Amino acid sequence: MSNVAVVEGVLERITYANEENGYTVARVDTGRGGGDLLTVVGSLLGAQPGESLRMEGRWGSHPQYGRQFTCENYTTVLPATVQGIRRYLGSGLIKGIGPRIADRIVDHFGTDTLDVIEDDPKRLIEVPGLGPKRTKLIGAAWEEQKAIKEVMVFLQGVGVSTSIAVRIYKKYGDASISVTRNQPYRLAADVWGIGFLTADRIAQAVGIPHDSPERVKAGLQYALSQSTDQGHCFLPQERLIADGVKLLQVDTGLVIDCLAELAEDPEGVVREQVPDPEGGDPLTAVYLVPFHRAELSLTGRLRRLLHTEEDRMPAFRDVDWERALGWLAGRTGADLAPEQRDAVKLALTRKVAVLTGGPGCGKSFTVRSIVELARAKKAKVVLAAPTGRAAKRLSELTGAEASTVHRLLELKPGGDAAYDGDRPLDADLVVVDEASMLDLLLANKLVKAVAPGAHLLLVGDVDQLPSVGAGEVLRDLLAEGGPVPAVRLTRIFRQAQQSGVVTNAHRINTGVPPITEGLPDFFLFAEEDTEEAGRLTVDVAARRIPARFGLDPRRDVQVLAPMHRGPAGAGTLNGLLQQAVTPARPGLAEKRFGGRVFRVGDKVTQIRNNYEKGANGVFNGTVGVVTALDLDEQRLTVRTEEDEEVGYEFSELDELAHAYAVTIHRSQGSEYPAVVIPVTTSAWMMLQRNLLYTAVTRAKKLVVLVGSRKALGQAVRTVSAGRRYTAVAARLSGRIPVGNIT
């Protein structure tokens, strides 16, 4: 191994950057001439194209890429040549200066450019085409950049990535360094994208002891919040303690003591005795405070809605059902099946009801019938669904306006709703479709907003995957012995029996392998090798389906992968599909961020709830298309499925991922003309019946499976054993007495 070497050069471009660990592959111009660029690998967090770098590290070589330099640390030097300054300013480093404006400024001031911006930014107004507004903006952006740089230099020493450093700065401003140094665990709670592990690494770097109670408490809260990401509303105390010991590598006694302290803190955790879902002795459940509040509130309000004497649709108490249903058949041109009639009566006479069933069983027609009858009696009907696509479909089906639940409740920055218990929705009947997607927190917000005496109908397919967020609300409401009346539609209608998609969805749901030959709308391309299956998936989605069925590969075809990682995972497939559907073209604007490149025309999805964006927030799973990319303003614009234009600063691009391929979990509530599903043995642990069933039921017209028959068999056979920890069903049925909180 050679000794430490020093290399100086101008950073030309970053070809790869892993935002999580900061590993970067870059090309650097060392001034050797001949256009030769040096490959540099290592941590180059915060370095911008155009900057002159002084790098310390070691020379080495790579079997594929040849001679390269591994950088261990670097310092930046402001560029001194006109060409370097032009490149530096044109790199998008400073908001308001893109390549065109950089050229103008440098043409005017030459090598003095950076001194002018630093010492006398008002002089920028001398540059043709720069007004006072833009001049002021550039001056402010330069100052902010300097402050961020200082924070970055500090954070670099503790291994934090660029985008997170920017967020820390946005959150705490000039206090960034002191918060990071003195209260690093606050970062995990306050800054999206920093989990406990990053905060812990920072804490270690700034000298916080391994067994500090502050560290242990933060670790326990992190373990609980991780479990809510996996769908649990609480964890049994024993499991939390074991998880804490494993995560923190400290004594069990210390974990138990810190848990007791957290339970005494009103904002810490709540401990409560709840029945064991497996039927054993009661468990001590440990909740994060918001999830405990939401369970109490949701179940309390549902029971109140169920038992109230008030009724906002009294006309249905003594209606002549034969006449009403006869009138309805005249309107819709079809009679209802007996179980559909039951569902109609239930929704119009009971305050809370659930309608469930698989594809082709007439859920949609039943909902339409309920809405028609309610409207005939002049009831105010409000329709909603968790996603934009599902709301659009509900609207087409009923001929009435439907919105997302978020928009219906008018969620405001911070996540509070404009409609709640103090200001309920003015509605006599609230219908929510795709209710399997409702997580505990959203269901609670929704139920709070239903006025006493109004009717609430939840419609969904309980056999699909449960919500992405914590809880399994629809399943809990359908629990045996619970107070909520429900109808399950089981009969497949004749026209639906002709659909291979519907037939196979029901086969999968009952544990029978799908028919993959001889159907016009359901195919299997067998391929045992995972990498080949990945390539074939891309070929099918981007070329074969569009050629044979005339579908648009971006709008009509969706690849649904069981998992994100791996050669046939959503991550890899997105890169390949983007090359096939939205390749780089001269003149097509693009922005590289981390390991991704964003282009106009890209299909993208939001990957976190952000209450600050759009009219009522933009939510995890919202899909859209990039419609504009402004390198000067450093903004990218996305038109969402709800036809809303949403702007993203370049520093916020880690909230977006490509959506040519998405995981099956993320596809819930959406419907696509065609879906392509890679089913490979590399996703073995994920292959479960409800996962495959959910994927197949996303398709309106066409399903293509790509991969291994063995993996397909595994998915059909495996019933998910993993129930979620939630006490909603127990609270609804009154099995948890009030007052067992310890």
Side-chain angles (χ1 to χ4, degrees), residues 620-640:
N620 190 348
T622 300
V623 173
V625 172
V626 177
T627 52
L629 222 163
D630 188 325
L631 296 171
D632 285 354
E633 294 302 325
Q634 294 183 41
R635 272 175 86 74
L636 172 151
T637 308
V638 173
R639 175 174 284 279
T640 71

Side-chain angles (χ1 to χ4, degrees), residues 326-377:
W327 172 85
L328 184 66
R331 287 277 301 214
T332 58
D335 280 319
L336 290 166
E339 52 190 16
Q340 291 179 307
R341 295 170 72 133
D342 293 344
V344 169
K345 290 180 190 173
L346 208 58
L348 297 171
T349 58
R350 302 293 292 273
K351 307 295 171 34
V352 182
V354 173
L355 171 62
T356 187
C361 293
K363 280 201 309 290
S364 299
F365 186 65
T366 308
V367 170
R368 187 180 145 199
S369 304
I370 291 164
V371 172
E372 289 269 358
L373 276 173
R375 284 233 198 89
K377 294 287 188 190

Side-chain angles (χ1 to χ4, degrees), residues 476-552:
D476 285 337
L477 298 189
L478 287 163
E480 248 178 275
V484 179
V487 169
R488 184 173 194 137
L489 303 178
T490 53
R491 187 185 132 196
I492 306 173
F493 283 86
R494 197 173 59 248
Q495 62 271 34
Q497 285 169 6
Q498 268 113 59
S499 154
V501 176
V502 170
T503 305
N504 278 334
H506 286 278
R507 286 175 73 98
I508 291 164
N509 202 28
T510 50
V512 180
I515 300 161
T516 55
E517 278 159 20
L519 293 172
D521 59 352
F522 200 103
F523 302 89
L524 167 67
F525 284 82
E527 175 52 70
E528 289 301 319
D529 179 76
T530 299
E531 283 193 32
E532 270 309 309
R535 281 195 284 274
L536 185 53
T537 298
V538 172
D539 191 47
V540 166
R543 283 177 279 277
R544 296 192 195 193
I545 289 177
R548 181 164 166 192
F549 295 94
L551 295 172
D552 179 309

Side-chain angles (χ1 to χ4, degrees), residues 283-305:
L283 303 171
T284 300
V286 187
Y287 287 86
L288 287 172
V289 172
F291 292 89
H292 188 257
R293 279 192 195 131
E295 271 202 5
L296 291 180
S297 164
L298 172 67
T299 50
R301 284 176 185 277
L302 279 171
R303 290 173 74 165
R304 218 167 309 152
L305 284 176

Side-chain angles (χ1 to χ4, degrees), residues 427-456:
D428 305 321
L429 171 64
V430 178
V431 179
V432 182
D433 198 8
E434 293 288 355
S436 60
M437 291 185 69
L438 287 177
D439 60 41
L440 172 67
L441 300 181
L442 187 57
N444 177 42
K445 286 187 168 84
L446 171 74
V447 170
K448 261 187 189 169
V450 178
H455 292 225
L456 171 65

